[in-house]
Amino acid sequence: MMNYSNQRHQDFIECIVDLREYDVPFHVHFAIDNEKRTDLLQCAEVHVCAFDIETTKLPLKFPDAEIDSIMMISYMVDGQGYL
């Protein structure tokens, strides 16, 4: 019997053979893993969108839409920032 208490967490990662999502049917996983489609080999262009909303708030509280107001909204799309 193997003593697992002496092994590190990283050692168990090597024992994982496969991961599956339960909400994806088996035949879809099979198609994803085994069917090679040359028309889908082109990678999509990456776009980044990030935003930040600055509000007033009470100390040590989360903002409340009923009483707090928005001071500034900033966002960035593909490296270009806006206020």
Side-chain angles (χ1 to χ4, degrees):
M1 183 166 180
M2 192 170 195
N3 184 2
Y4 292 110
S5 63
N6 295 334
Q7 289 186 327
R8 296 189 332 254
H9 174 70
Q10 290 82 11
D11 296 336
F12 290 105
I13 300 282
E14 296 171 1
C15 298
I16 296 174
V17 176
D18 194 19
L19 293 175
R20 297 290 178 171
E21 295 179 16
Y22 290 105
D23 59 341
V24 179
F26 176 76
H27 69 280
V28 175
H29 268 290
F30 181 85
I32 292 170
D33 294 340
N34 296 309
E35 289 184 8
K36 303 297 181 203
R37 292 187 52 190
T38 57
D39 61 323
L40 297 178
L41 294 181
Q42 183 178 4
C43 294
E45 186 177 337
V46 177
H47 294 278
V48 176
C49 178
F51 66 93
D52 186 33
I53 301 174
E54 301 291 335
T55 66
T56 60
K57 67 176 190 67
L58 295 173
L60 302 176
K61 298 286 184 179
F62 287 106
D64 183 354
E66 298 294 323
I67 59 173
D68 295 321
S69 60
I70 295 174
M71 297 187 303
M72 178 178 62
I73 298 175
S74 60
Y75 63 98
M76 181 174 284
V77 178
D78 290 334
Q80 184 68 35
Y82 304 94
L83 290 177

